[in-house]
């Protein structure tokens, strides 16, 4: 069931989203060659603590997970698409890093993700990351009153497929509100003009996930959380929490 948010609620969610943006900015600034993923999670915890915010990621356990998630960020490196658990793995020159994070503040949740390269970037990785953000921008541009969920999915999928990238089936965006994951689901590929109509007050996490090798196949890692590309190619992830309004889409997780 989709819960429409009032304008006052959207303003409150903007405060939560700003906190998520500050967290991701701090983590990206801390990411450097030799820094561990666990150290990045520590940075994120500090930002949440300073803001008086909680984490919707910590101890989250969906149906597929063997254990509760042990961190406040997902840190996915190179062939990891999403849901990477921060460990003592240290970043190396040229690593492609995707950080997914959320916050809860005042009873509202926010969710966002970024991808970037540590050290010297490979041209192929730069193109992959740029395309992920281009797909996100296309999805947001389609998130207008009068369109449908399928228009967002089609916009994202068109950018990804035109660039020759794969899309992991079954993983995509979702509604956001009092909890991090709410209805409706927002696929990363679909037919325009199909699905639920977009209405003022809907708040969605729009999140393209791209597989660099062009195939859609992926598999879960032994930790039961991390999803990796089957062909070993690199992946990128970009996400914003976006409010659908009569004045156009409003990004709630921007700085």
């Amino acid at each position: 069931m989709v819960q429409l948010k009032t304008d006052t609620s959207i303003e409150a969610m903007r405060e939560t989203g700003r906190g998520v943006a500050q967290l991701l900015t701090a983590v990206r600034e801390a990411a450097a060659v030799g820094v561990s993923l666990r150290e990045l999670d520590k940075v994120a915890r500090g930002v949440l603590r300073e803001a008086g915010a909680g984490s919707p990621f910590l101890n989250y356990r969906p149906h597929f997970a063997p254990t509760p998630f042990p961190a406040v960020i997902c840190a996915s490196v190179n062939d990891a698409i999403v849901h990477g658990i921060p460990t003592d793995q240290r970043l190396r020159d040229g690593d492609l890093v995707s950080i997914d994070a959320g916050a809860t503040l005042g009873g509202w949740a926010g969710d966002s993700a970024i991808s970037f390269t540590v050290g010297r970037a490979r041209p192929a990785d730069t193109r992959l990351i740029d395309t992920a953000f281009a797909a996100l921008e296309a999805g947001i541009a389609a998130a207008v009153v009068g369109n449908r969920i399928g228009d967002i999915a089609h916009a994202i999928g068109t950018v990804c497929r035109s660039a020759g990238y794969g899309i992991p089936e079954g993983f995509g965006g979702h509604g956001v509100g009092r909890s991090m994951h709410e209805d409706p689901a927002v696929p990363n590929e679909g037919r325009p003009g199909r699905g639920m109509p977009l209405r003022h007050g809907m708040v969605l996490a729009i999140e393209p996930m791209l597989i660099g090798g062009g195939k859609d196949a992926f598999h879960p890692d032994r930790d039961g959380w991390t999803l990796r590309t089957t062909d070993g190619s690199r992946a990128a992830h970009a996400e914003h929490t976006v409010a659908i309004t009569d004045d156009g889409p409003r990004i709630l997780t921007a700085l």
Side-chain angles (χ1 to χ4, degrees):
M1 180 177 179
V2 176
Q3 298 288 338
L4 298 180
K5 281 71 177 179
T6 65
D7 292 346
T8 300
S9 296
I10 290 173
E11 287 298 328
M13 293 188 72
R14 172 63 181 129
E15 291 305 308
T16 307
R18 187 175 286 110
V20 179
Q22 291 169 346
L23 182 161
L24 289 173
T25 298
V27 169
R28 181 168 186 171
E29 289 176 350
V33 175
V35 174
S36 75
L37 302 182
R38 202 182 304 275
E39 288 168 339
L40 296 182
D41 186 67
K42 185 177 179 180
V43 169
R45 289 175 189 249
V47 174
L48 292 175
R49 185 167 54 250
E50 183 71 21
S55 169
F57 285 30
L58 185 63
N59 295 321
Y60 179 62
R61 188 176 184 182
H63 65 88
F64 64 80
T67 59
F69 196 75
V72 303
I73 63 171
C74 293
S76 306
V77 180
N78 295 334
D79 66 326
I81 307 167
V82 286
H83 302 162
I85 295 175
T87 64
D88 290 326
Q89 175 184 347
R90 295 194 176 275
L91 295 173
R92 297 180 298 178
D93 186 46
D95 278 345
L96 194 166
V97 183
S98 297
I99 302 292
D100 190 0
T104 54
L105 185 66
W108 296 104
D111 190 10
S112 186
I114 57 174
S115 291
F116 54 90
T117 302
V118 174
R120 292 168 293 182
R122 303 179 182 181
D125 290 347
T126 299
R127 179 174 179 268
L128 177 63
I129 293 168
D130 288 347
T131 305
F133 283 103
L136 175 59
E137 291 176 1
I140 293 171
V144 297
V145 173
N147 272 359
R148 293 176 176 267
I149 292 291
D151 294 303
I152 298 175
H154 178 72
I156 293 171
T158 298
V159 172
C160 296
R161 296 301 190 189
S162 296
Y165 296 128
I167 301 172
E169 185 178 357
F171 288 87
H174 48 85
V176 183
R178 291 293 184 183
S179 64
M180 179 174 59
H181 290 142
E182 295 184 352
D183 291 333
V186 186
N188 285 328
E189 191 168 32
R191 296 177 64 181
R194 298 297 182 91
M196 181 178 295
L198 302 180
R199 298 171 58 191
H200 179 91
M202 293 175 68
V203 178
L204 308 174
I206 299 174
E207 52 176 324
M209 305 167 195
L210 285 63
I211 297 176
K215 307 282 187 175
D216 296 350
F218 63 92
H219 64 90
D221 206 345
R222 288 178 296 179
D223 61 22
W225 274 99
T226 309
L227 301 182
R228 295 190 180 276
T229 62
T230 299
D231 61 5
S233 65
R234 295 189 170 195
H237 180 200
E239 177 184 17
H240 270 309
T241 297
V242 180
I244 311 298
T245 80
D246 290 329
D247 296 322
R250 182 180 180 190
I251 301 173
L252 303 182
T253 45
L255 277 176

